Amino acid sequence: MFNQKRIRDYGVEIGRLKTGPRNAITDVEGVMVGHVTLSEGNSQTGVTAILPHPGNMFKEKLIASSHVINGFGKTMGTIQMEELGTLETPILLTNTLGVGVAADTLFDYMLEGNPEIGRTTGTVNPVIGECNDMFLNDIRAKFVKREHVLEALQNASSDFEEGAVGAGRGMLCYSLKGGIGSASRLVELAHGTYTLGVMVLSNFGILSDLLVKGKAVGQELKEALCDSHKEEDKGSVMIIVATDLPLSERQLNRILKRSVAGLSRTGSIITNGSGEIVIGFSTATRIPHDKPEQLSIIPQIHEEDMDEAFRAIGEATEEAVLNSLITAEEVTGRDGNKRPAFKDLIEKFDVSLV
């Protein structure tokens, strides 16, 4: 993962389950992530693409679901996902006003490989998530263009950067610099070991609420900064979940709901102005677009195995948020607006995380 110092490198180990080899969403076999980062002057934004498997997503769909923790946010494609329980495109993340160009580009990306779309079959359902990066980025300038979206899709890899990159370039988390963070957990069941990975686009929270493994690190930093201004949480978080657990759409949705446990353990109270939205998919079963002659069989774990998956998503979400903070660097953007880096402040004020 590009040799970045992550939260475990500071002695902080979250939870009790084992991690995958990368401790990232790409520990789920076939999942890849790509970024394009725009970081010049008032342009502090970007695009992040999540490719759920390397094949044709339209022809081989995946079991998928979404969950709204707090609805002060925007997504595209989740209505059909909820109705049919499938994902048929990559997932794109960007800033709020970049959703249109992201969707239009993803339409073209899918049309190129599927000439039957809009001719002999229906259309396609692109899935886009966003957060508002207007403090650091001149969001009205609409810096994200078609070529940036395509590049993020094309450069996707199993290794990717975290922090102030891609869609996370202009995002804030707990009043500090936020962005992209990831983590994974192994789910060990009697019939096999599975992987659950999480990637967050973090743009939420106020400094005084930040917790690291239960320690009030945010309040300690706020006092050290002598920061008395009123903090307001008007951000959001997109949580992308991948797993190879064999699940039904209903079971996947139950797992997604438990991501709130991880958010809360970092200090989030899910404020009025913050949108918390979760999108997840399972790679265990591919659903053919063309109707087969035989019955479709979708394997799924027993309900009594769900607790391990519930634990996994909570731990991975918590660690992904902390990784998004600790890997981000300080950014100065629109009109000289600046947000410090968590790693710089804990060093400056000699704050221990354990």
Side-chain angles (χ1 to χ4, degrees):
M1 296 293 287
F2 287 83
N3 296 316
Q4 292 178 287
K5 272 189 85 173
R6 306 171 84 198
I7 199 68
R8 288 183 177 239
D9 296 312
Y10 290 82
V12 179
E13 293 196 11
I14 300 299
R16 65 178 70 167
L17 298 180
K18 297 175 184 176
T19 73
R22 296 182 184 86
N23 195 14
I25 193 172
T26 50
D27 286 327
V28 179
E29 186 176 354
V31 177
M32 296 186 292
V33 173
H35 299 304
V36 166
T37 305
L38 307 178
S39 56
E40 184 175 351
N42 289 339
S43 175
Q44 302 293 332
T45 191
V47 184
T48 294
I50 302 97
L51 276 62
H53 71 64
N56 186 317
M57 284 291 301
F58 184 72
K59 292 178 181 175
E60 295 183 295
K61 309 177 198 302
L62 297 180
I63 298 290
S65 186
S66 66
H67 173 63
V68 178
I69 301 170
N70 188 55
F72 208 117
K74 295 88 180 163
T75 58
M76 183 174 182
T78 53
I79 293 175
Q80 181 172 310
M81 183 188 292
E82 284 303 287
E83 183 68 22
L84 300 183
T86 57
L87 174 67
E88 60 184 21
T89 73
I91 300 168
L92 294 178
L93 303 176
T94 188
N95 71 61
T96 312
L97 300 189
V99 169
V101 69
D104 194 49
T105 306
L106 188 51
F107 275 130
D108 289 343
Y109 176 85
M110 298 302 296
L111 292 175
E112 183 178 355
N114 298 280
E116 68 271 36
I117 293 175
R119 290 290 188 262
T120 59
T121 188
T123 56
V124 65
N125 184 51
V127 176
I128 319 290
E130 58 74 43
C131 289
N132 183 351
D133 58 11
M134 61 180 279
F135 182 78
L136 293 174
N137 174 55
D138 183 359
I139 197 168
R140 292 173 61 94
K142 298 184 180 179
F143 292 114
V144 174
K145 305 298 182 187
R146 171 186 170 84
E147 59 266 27
H148 304 134
V149 180
L150 285 174
E151 185 181 346
L153 288 162
Q154 291 162 358
N155 71 19
S157 171
S158 54
D159 289 315
F160 60 96
E161 288 186 83
E162 296 171 282
V165 294
R169 179 63 189 178
M171 303 303 171
L172 320 179
C173 188
Y174 288 112
S175 304
L176 308 174
K177 188 65 197 71
I180 298 292
S182 194
S184 70
R185 292 295 184 273
L186 301 183
V187 180
E188 297 179 350
L189 303 177
H191 42 76
T193 297
Y194 304 92
T195 304
L196 185 147
V198 170
M199 191 185 78
V200 300
L201 175 62
S202 68
N203 192 47
F204 69 97
I206 59 176
L207 181 57
S208 54
D209 283 339
L210 172 61
L211 301 175
V212 176
K213 206 172 180 179
K215 184 178 181 182
V217 172
Q219 184 60 36
E220 188 175 345
L221 285 175
K222 187 173 173 63
E223 291 171 1
L225 288 165
C226 300
D227 189 357
S228 61
H229 83 280
K230 181 182 178 183
E231 296 181 294
E232 293 183 289
D233 183 1
K234 293 185 177 181
S236 297
V237 60
M238 292 294 310
I239 304 171
I240 309 300
V241 181
T243 186
D244 57 9
L245 277 163
L247 301 166
S248 68
E249 179 273 335
R250 175 190 58 79
Q251 288 178 319
L252 178 58
N253 188 261
R254 293 188 70 204
I255 293 170
L256 301 187
K257 291 176 181 178
R258 271 64 178 188
S259 60
V260 71
L263 279 183
S264 297
R265 288 198 292 263
T266 69
S268 174
I269 62 166
I270 322 296
T271 61
N272 172 66
S274 182
E276 284 80 14
I277 298 171
V278 196
I279 296 172
F281 57 88
S282 168
T283 63
T285 305
R286 296 193 185 185
I287 310 297
H289 177 73
D290 297 319
K291 185 177 71 172
E293 294 299 322
Q294 67 277 7
L295 287 172
S296 296
I297 298 174
I298 300 175
Q300 56 186 287
I301 65 173
H302 194 278
E303 300 301 316
E304 291 189 7
D305 284 332
M306 294 288 281
D307 281 351
E308 285 299 287
F310 293 164
R311 183 181 299 280
I313 194 171
E315 290 185 9
T317 301
E318 179 181 3
E319 187 161 352
V321 170
L322 296 177
N323 278 335
S324 77
L325 275 166
I326 205 70
T327 57
E329 73 267 19
E330 181 179 287
V331 170
T332 301
R334 179 180 65 84
D335 299 332
N337 289 340
K338 181 186 298 186
R339 271 296 179 265
F342 184 41
K343 58 188 175 184
D344 295 340
L345 292 184
I346 59 175
E347 181 178 340
K348 178 180 179 179
F349 296 111
D350 195 27
V351 173
S352 171
L353 300 183
V354 292

